[in-house]
Every structure is written in structure tokens, then in C-alpha cells.
Amino acid sequence: MMGVQTNKSGRGLPMGLLLFLLLLPALPALAQEAASPAAPPPAPAAPPAPPPVPETLISPRATMETFLHAMNDIKRGKPERIEDAITTLDLSQVNPLVRKERGRDLAWMLLEIMDRTRIVVVKRVPSRTKGKPYVFKKYKAGMIRISRMPDGRWLFDAETVEKLPDILEELADKARVKGKGKEEDELFLPWHMRIRARLPDKLKEAPFLLENWHWIGILVIVVAGVVLDKLLSLILRLMVRRCRTATRRVEFRDISEHMLRPFGLMAMAVLWWLCLNLLGLPEQAMLVLLVAVKFLAAISGVWAAYRLVDLLAAYLLAQAHRTASKMDDALFPLIPRTLKIFVTVVGIIFIADTFNMNVSSLLAGLGLGGLAFALAAKDLVQNLFGSVTVLADRTFSVGDWIIVDGIEGTVERIGFRSTRIRTFYNSVVTLPNARFITAEVDNMGERRYRRMKCNLSLTYDTPPDRIEAFCEGVRELVRQHPYMRKDYYQVYLNQFAAASLDVLVYVFWETPDWSTELRERHRFLLDVLRLAHRLEVEFAFPTQTLYIKRGGEADMRPESPREEAVGLGRQEARSIVAETTGTGVRPPPVTFSGD
């Protein structure tokens, strides 16, 4: 990126000069375009062609045939044909959230009105594709009319659809003109139309918003849903309690007896959903109640799915703990989280479909919010790649002791976005997984051996043979202790310190965890103390000896000639080597037999 240069006064270049520098590479192309003759303006794009009109709705006669044939097929055992019947109705004025349910009721109302009016002769219905609307019949409450829509379709228009309940109420006492019999035809009508036809006029009155029988039906449905919720919750609670005591799996014994509580709420919501469609409520009442019930069903369904995922998570975690590998301890917890994300997405899609949300328009309208989402998604992708890196490279596993960026502790959880580390002072540090892409991770949990290096300080008056015995005894302790490494250890007199003779002890333990290491270290050090006590070897304290020379005293020992002193030193050294290693003998390299 090119920065703005500054002059001595600290001000930047003028904005015009900066723009000129940026546009300088494009000047030749602009000059060539200016020299060329002006091109004619582009022709406006042609509007997209409208979709073809289906043959089933191309004329009033085709629409009438489509409607009647679909309704008759329903009576012959083809309920899916209700969708074709609904396509003949102009439902543009009906709320999209209840358009499907309301369209089904309106189709049956229209058929009932036609059956109570006159025999429909399809051949008398005009087959023109253009022209004025076709009026089937006029009533006091309104008319049944098929009109041509702007896109060329012929539909029972919105005004007809709006007046259908009032027209049916006007014809309530009129018998059907055609049919195999009143009782047989009523078997195909919606439940609310059958129930309403048998109710007294008192229950059909609407003193407040809804008819009386609607209020009674809503009350009965609410009570039935609550009873079903309590009954099912009780049964599920007893089942969970019984299974918890009878199961042999330890992971299922600690689950709550209210684990399956959301299934009661879901059953209640489904019952309300199904029964409300049977009441034939007006559009506004159906809109409010159905949206609330669908939302409750979605929430309870997601909640119930979460509980099932929790059961699966307990099972997978128990299976992971039964294996020796630590990879499944990190991988299996990701499966429940993935399933919960999937369940959440399904619930959001269901709610969006219930409210007829246009997800594309919603995202396009976010504007700056979409930019913020993209920036947040950048970190999300980095963290996801970090988690993949940890799992693929096996950088560490759950339970490992790690050190990363100065943070030391035990890995408690590896997630999609972050990793949780429990420090040794019992706090929890959460690190984004993106840091593990470049960070240096010291995995102490991957150590095969745990090392100890120390100096055992012996007093200066310890005889050499005792030092030899002591060092060999410590080596034998290493060979006898079960957790100690037998193929590599060092125990030697290492240096003459200021106040002691230091014996280097360099040993390893092959232990699975820190607690076992501390226990074995404790046993080894105690055995070293016991060995020193039995060999009468004393450990030195940090001491200083003060020597005070008395005045007037002189060393009466005569000084030997230099040649004699040198010869005496060489003679004693050769004697010591001959007694210990052997003159001219070269010991082989150190090997560890493990004996």
C-alpha cells in the first residue's frame, strides 16, 4: 500500500495531486477514448418475457374445470388435489403466513356455495382468454366471479374470495342442488363446516371478535394440550427414572429425570397446531394463533433435539474414556456440537419458512451489517482452521499438559472456535484456535519420560570407597524401581564444590501423569536417604572453615626438592590407577544392561 508523503511542515500532498497520481496510468486509455467518435447510447434492455399462462387457468372455463375436477378427485380419495383447487383462487389479499390453511377452507366454501346454488354446466362457461370477468352468480352478500389477472391467469378474484364466508352464511339454510346425498357429501367437508352446520344459532353468534363456539373450541384445545403436556412429561419422567436405575452404563445414571421434558411441550404444540386448523377461524385469529403455535413447536423441537444430542454426547464421552487413545477424547465432543449447530439451523429455517422470510433480501438489506458479518466470519474461519490443525497434526489432546504463549495448564476442551485450558491455580484460560496455527506449543503431556537432575552433596571426609559404594547403590536403585528408565541414567562423582563432594544424579521416570511422577520421585529419594544412612555416608551442609594461625609458629617440615616431589606424585598416581582401573586398560563406553 502506498502511503501519502509528507513535507517538512508535516502536511500531506494536496488531494488533487494524489488523485492525479492515481489516475496517471489510465490517461492514455482516456485520451484514446476521447479521440474516437462518440458511440450511440446502448439500447434499453428488453423487459423479461412474462411466464406462460398454464392451460388450467387460461380461460374462465379452464379455471372452472380445474376447480371442479380437483374437488371431485378429493372425494374420490386424492386429497393432494386440494393444491390444484387452491391455485384457482386469488389469495393475494390473504396473509402469506396462513395462506395455505385459509386457501383450503375457502376452496371448500366455494364448492359448498356452488352445490347450494345451481348445477354447474361447464360448457356454458366462456372459454375466452380476454375480456370482461365471468360472473357465476350474484348474492346479497356478494358475487362469485372469475376475473383475468394482470399475468393472464383467470382466477376467482380477491373480492369473491373475501365474500365467500358471508355468501355461505347466506345459503346456510338452503339444500344442495346436486349430489349423491347430503350425509355422504358432508363426509368430505372440513370438520369446522360439519360442526358449525349442527350447532344452534346461539353458539354461532359473535359478541366479541370470534363466534361463541370458536371460543369454546379454543378453550377445549388449550386444556387438552396442557393435559397432554403434563401426562406425557410424567410418563417420560418415570421412564427416565426407571431406565436410570436399571441401566448398566454409568454415563446414564447421572442424567436428570427431567431430561425429556421438552417432548411434552412439543406434543402440546403439535396438538394445538392440528386442532386449530379444525376450527376454521377467521384469518386474523388464525394468523396470530398459528404463528404462535408454530413458533412454540419450533422452539420445543429444537430443545428436544438438544436433549437427545446430550444423551448421545454422554454415550460418546464414555466410549472415548474407555479407549487408550486421546484423539477420540478431542474428536467425540465435536460431534454433539456439530449436531446442535445443525439442529439450530433447521429450527431457524423452519421459523423463517413459517414467517415467509426472504433470506436473500434480508441479507442484502443488512448493508454494513453484512460487512461486519464477513469480518467476523474471517475470525471464525481462522479459528476453524486452527481446530483442524490441532486435530490433524495432533498437537495436543484433551488432558495434556501444555505450555503456549506463557500459559501453562491442562487441556480441558477443544472446540470449533477455542480451546479451554485449566491452569494449575485452577483458573480457566480460553484461547482462540487461530493462535495454534503459528504459536509454539510445548506439549508436556507427550513426554515419554520425566527427568530429574540434581547434585547430592557429600562431606569432604567421605572415603573414596564409600563414594563408590554409594554411587553404585544409587544405580541399583534405578535398576530396581519399576517406573524408572533402565536404558539411560547417570550417577557419578561430578565435581569438588566449595563445601562438598557433588554426586550427579541424572535419571528418568516413565510415568503417565504428574501425580505418579511425584509419587515415584518421593519413593526414590527416600531410598537414597536410606542407602546413605546404611553406608554411613553423610550429606554436607553449606559450611565454611575458619583457620587461625598462631603467631611465631613455623612449619618445621623441610621442603623436598622439586624433582623428588614430582616423582612422588607420579608414583602415587600410577599406584592408584593400577589398583582401580588397571595400568594401560581402557574401559569400554558405558552400556545399560538393565540388570
Side-chain angles (χ1 to χ4, degrees):
M1 180 179 296
M2 182 177 64
V4 179
Q5 299 178 354
T6 57
N7 54 20
K8 294 181 179 179
S9 61
R11 298 180 179 178
L13 291 175
M15 185 59 68
L17 181 57
L18 178 60
L19 293 176
F20 174 76
L21 293 176
L22 293 175
L23 295 176
L24 186 59
L27 289 180
L30 294 176
Q32 183 178 0
E33 183 179 355
S36 62
V53 179
E55 293 293 332
T56 56
L57 305 173
I58 200 170
S59 65
R61 180 184 297 179
T63 300
M64 183 66 75
E65 288 179 345
T66 301
F67 176 76
L68 294 177
H69 289 168
M71 300 304 292
N72 289 330
D73 287 343
I74 294 174
K75 296 180 180 180
R76 297 187 186 100
K78 298 180 180 179
E80 67 276 3
R81 290 278 285 161
I82 190 65
E83 300 295 335
D84 296 331
I86 294 176
T87 59
T88 64
L89 306 178
D90 181 12
L91 301 178
S92 58
Q93 301 302 317
V94 179
N95 194 292
L97 300 180
V98 293
R99 186 170 291 171
K100 182 177 181 180
E101 294 82 359
R102 189 61 177 166
R104 186 183 299 111
D105 291 342
L106 292 172
W108 283 106
M109 289 182 187
L110 178 58
L111 180 65
E112 189 71 6
I113 292 171
M114 289 183 177
D115 287 344
R116 295 174 185 270
T117 300
R118 59 183 173 87
I119 299 175
V120 180
V121 181
V122 177
K123 293 182 179 180
R124 296 180 183 178
V125 180
S127 60
R128 62 179 182 270
T129 58
K130 296 181 181 180
K132 61 181 181 179
Y134 165 70
V135 178
F136 172 76
K137 181 70 175 178
K138 292 184 178 181
Y139 308 90
K140 294 180 181 179
M143 67 176 67
I144 305 297
R145 182 175 60 192
I146 302 177
S147 303
R148 186 176 184 272
M149 301 292 108
D151 58 1
R153 295 178 302 159
W154 288 81
L155 303 177
F156 293 95
D157 57 27
E159 183 178 352
T160 298
V161 170
E162 183 183 0
K163 296 298 183 181
L164 286 178
D166 297 334
I167 297 174
L168 182 60
E169 182 67 22
E170 180 183 336
L171 302 177
D173 298 331
K174 191 172 182 179
R176 290 182 175 83
V177 176
K178 180 183 178 182
K180 296 181 180 180
K182 181 176 180 181
E183 293 78 8
E184 186 176 352
D185 283 350
E186 283 187 351
L187 295 177
F188 301 99
L189 292 177
W191 280 97
H192 66 89
M193 296 180 66
R194 298 188 226 172
I195 295 173
R196 193 176 187 279
R198 291 175 170 80
L199 293 177
D201 294 338
K202 188 69 175 177
L203 294 178
K204 296 180 184 179
E205 296 177 357
F208 180 71
L209 300 178
L210 302 177
E211 296 179 359
N212 292 330
W213 77 278
H214 283 153
W215 288 114
I216 296 175
I218 292 175
L219 178 61
V220 172
I221 292 172
V222 170
V223 172
V226 173
V227 171
L228 177 63
D229 173 34
K230 298 299 181 182
L231 182 61
L232 186 59
S233 298
L234 177 61
I235 295 174
L236 293 176
R237 187 164 63 250
L238 294 176
M239 289 177 56
V240 172
R241 187 183 303 170
R242 181 177 180 182
C243 293
R244 189 175 57 182
T245 56
T247 183
R248 296 180 179 178
R249 296 188 175 275
V250 181
E251 61 269 20
F252 292 145
R253 293 178 183 174
D254 296 332
I255 62 175
S256 172
E257 62 181 20
H258 300 282
M259 186 75 177
L260 303 181
R261 174 68 179 87
F263 286 93
L265 294 176
M266 186 170 64
M268 179 179 66
V270 172
L271 178 66
W272 287 351
W273 189 349
L274 296 176
C275 293
L276 285 176
N277 287 324
L278 302 179
L279 292 180
L281 297 172
E283 179 182 343
Q284 294 301 322
M286 184 181 294
L287 174 64
V288 174
L289 294 178
L290 276 186
V291 168
V293 169
K294 288 182 180 180
F295 187 79
L296 177 61
I299 296 300
S300 59
V302 172
W303 188 10
Y306 274 8
R307 291 299 177 85
L308 294 179
V309 172
D310 290 337
L311 290 177
L312 177 63
Y315 172 77
L316 292 178
L317 190 59
Q319 294 297 319
H321 289 165
R322 291 189 179 98
T323 61
S325 174
K326 292 185 178 181
M327 178 56 63
D328 50 8
D329 293 341
L331 190 59
F332 280 4
L334 297 180
I335 297 176
R337 296 189 190 101
T338 304
L339 292 178
K340 285 188 176 182
I341 293 174
F342 175 74
V343 169
T344 304
V345 171
V346 172
I348 293 174
I349 293 176
F350 177 81
I351 294 175
D353 180 71
T354 300
F355 289 93
N356 285 343
M357 294 181 180
N358 190 336
V359 180
S360 300
S361 302
L362 181 62
L363 293 178
L366 288 177
L368 294 177
L371 178 60
F373 177 80
L375 294 177
K378 170 179 172 292
D379 295 335
L380 179 63
V381 171
Q382 287 182 343
N383 291 327
L384 180 60
F385 272 105
S387 61
V388 172
T389 301
V390 170
L391 295 176
D393 295 343
R394 299 186 179 183
T395 310
F396 52 82
S397 302
V398 174
D400 283 353
W401 170 13
I402 67 172
I403 302 174
V404 53
D405 292 342
I407 300 171
E408 181 177 4
T410 304
V411 179
E412 195 171 75
R413 182 182 65 84
I414 302 175
F416 283 113
R417 191 196 67 83
S418 61
T419 295
R420 190 165 57 191
I421 299 175
R422 177 77 63 175
T423 64
F424 293 116
Y425 42 88
N426 206 33
S427 67
V428 175
V429 178
T430 302
L431 291 178
N433 288 335
R435 296 179 63 174
F436 295 109
I437 298 177
T438 57
E440 295 181 359
V441 180
D442 188 358
N443 192 341
M444 308 294 285
E446 287 294 324
R447 293 180 300 169
R448 183 179 177 185
Y449 300 106
R450 312 288 178 102
R451 186 189 71 166
M452 187 191 78
K453 177 183 178 182
C454 67
N455 287 307
L456 301 180
S457 300
L458 307 182
T459 58
Y460 263 102
D461 58 356
T462 306
D465 57 337
R466 296 292 178 90
I467 296 176
E468 285 281 7
F470 178 74
C471 290
E472 185 59 31
V474 174
R475 296 188 193 103
E476 187 63 24
L477 289 177
V478 174
R479 288 190 286 265
Q480 295 300 324
H481 274 237
Y483 281 93
M484 300 194 75
R485 183 179 180 181
K486 308 298 190 299
D487 60 342
Y488 186 76
Y489 52 88
Q490 308 292 346
V491 182
Y492 295 104
L493 179 62
N494 191 45
Q495 65 179 352
F496 295 96
S500 62
L501 300 172
D502 289 347
V503 175
L504 172 66
V505 178
Y506 192 80
V507 294
F508 297 85
W509 284 274
E510 188 175 6
T511 55
D513 52 59
W514 191 39
S515 299
T516 307
E517 175 191 355
L518 293 177
R519 184 195 68 189
E520 295 302 315
R521 185 189 292 251
H522 169 83
R523 293 179 60 246
F524 174 73
L525 294 178
L526 285 181
D527 287 350
V528 170
L529 288 176
R530 295 186 183 101
L531 177 66
H533 178 72
R534 294 183 183 183
L535 294 178
E536 297 181 356
V537 172
E538 295 183 359
F539 293 103
F541 295 98
T543 59
Q544 290 182 346
T545 301
L546 180 62
Y547 174 71
I548 303 176
K549 185 176 182 179
R550 296 182 180 179
E553 294 184 359
D555 192 357
M556 303 303 294
R557 186 178 58 186
E559 183 177 352
S560 302
R562 180 178 182 281
E563 291 79 5
E564 183 180 347
V566 171
L568 180 62
R570 289 178 179 177
Q571 180 181 354
E572 293 299 330
R574 291 188 183 118
S575 176
I576 292 173
V577 173
E579 294 174 1
T580 56
T581 306
T583 304
V585 178
R586 181 178 181 182
V590 177
T591 58
F592 301 91
S593 61
D595 297 332

